[in-house]
Amino acid sequence: AAQKELKALEQPEKDLEKADKAIEKAEAALAKAREESTTAERVAAESSTSASDASDLVTKVRADAERNRPRDSTVDLFDPPDTALVDDDLPGAVAHRREFHPHESPPIMWLPLVVLALGAIGAGALNLPFNDSTHVLEHWLEPTLYGNEHHLGLGGWDKVVLAGIAVVSALLGIGIAAAVYLRGRGDRKTIEQPVLAHAWYVDEGYAAVVGGPGEAGFEALATFDQAAIDGAVNGAATLVRGSGSRFRILQSGFVRAYALIVAFGAVGLLAFFISRATF
């Protein structure tokens, strides 16, 4: 009985020890949770700061781009463009293209033009407008025209005057272009009109016609060609092939079949003659 009473007195002490250990574990878990919470709050604060810095950087870049955006469509041929904002991202091959100035095309481009120019000079020399003896091309073609050639109402000197006007106009245009673009004199805005920047709207006109009513017309022609032209040709071939496949059963190659057809034909002719003789 004494031992039982002693064990009964020791049991509360053991329960108290277990409770103390449970309290210690709970306090450790609480401390760990507080530490993780503090870490999460610090990461969230750093992320918020990074997002704020990124937003400020984007706003700054947009403001710089808007401030440095060119307000004029003209570009000075002698000053390189401002690339300060993108210099760090440009490849090294850009360095040798820093010189921006008008220059002659490479030989692979201007040599064919020289050959064509010499050919044009030679072609023009075949029929000079000075006198009758210089009309080489005209006299050379006389045998093929049989005297039906058209004679212009302008004399030789009239043609010379018109040619002179054309040459002077070309030289004047070249001089104005050299003064404005090479020497920097005059205002480029008076020359570079929108109609010239759009090449007289020729290409845009072609695109509008071909991409609009032209495309619809081409599609209609393609549909007509496919349905009517190709349909007629393919339909004739289909008709011949179909009728041939139907009538070929009559050409079986058996003599008895041909004799039967002859017999039916004879009976038909006999019936025809009897009907004509009777009625």
Side-chain angles (χ1 to χ4, degrees), residues 11-71:
Q11 187 64 35
E13 293 180 358
K14 293 180 179 180
D15 293 340
L16 183 60
E17 290 178 358
K18 292 180 180 180
D20 292 339
K21 291 181 179 179
I23 292 172
E24 290 178 357
K25 291 181 179 180
E27 290 178 350
L30 180 60
K32 184 177 181 180
R34 289 177 178 176
E35 182 179 357
E36 292 178 352
S37 176
T38 304
T39 303
E41 291 177 356
R42 185 173 65 255
V43 171
E46 292 177 355
S47 301
S48 177
T49 304
S50 300
S52 178
D53 293 342
S55 177
D56 294 340
L57 180 60
V58 170
T59 304
K60 182 178 181 300
V61 170
R62 288 179 177 176
D64 292 340
E66 182 64 26
R67 184 174 60 257
N68 296 321
R69 187 187 302 275
R71 305 301 178 183

Side-chain angles (χ1 to χ4, degrees), residues 129-255:
F130 301 119
N131 51 57
D132 190 66
S133 62
T134 59
H135 297 175
V136 179
L137 183 62
E138 178 182 339
H139 297 313
W140 182 63
L141 294 175
E142 281 180 354
T144 62
L145 298 177
Y146 301 102
N148 296 320
E149 65 272 13
H150 178 72
H151 296 279
L152 296 176
L154 298 176
W157 285 107
D158 296 333
K159 298 176 184 178
V160 171
V161 171
L162 293 176
I165 294 174
V167 171
V168 170
S169 300
L171 294 176
L172 182 61
I174 293 173
I176 294 175
V180 173
Y181 291 101
L182 296 180
R183 299 184 178 277
R185 299 178 180 177
D187 187 8
R188 293 173 54 181
K189 295 181 180 179
T190 59
I191 299 176
E192 297 177 356
Q193 297 297 320
V195 66
L196 300 179
H198 290 272
W200 297 93
Y201 296 97
V202 173
D203 293 338
E204 296 180 8
Y206 287 156
V209 172
V210 174
E215 183 179 3
F218 299 148
E219 292 292 340
L221 290 176
T223 303
F224 175 79
D225 178 73
Q226 184 178 5
I229 307 301
D230 293 345
V233 174
N234 297 332
T238 303
L239 178 62
V240 172
R241 184 173 61 252
S243 59
S245 64
R246 297 295 185 275
F247 286 112
R248 70 180 178 181
I249 61 177
L250 301 177
Q251 300 291 335
S252 62
F254 295 107
V255 176

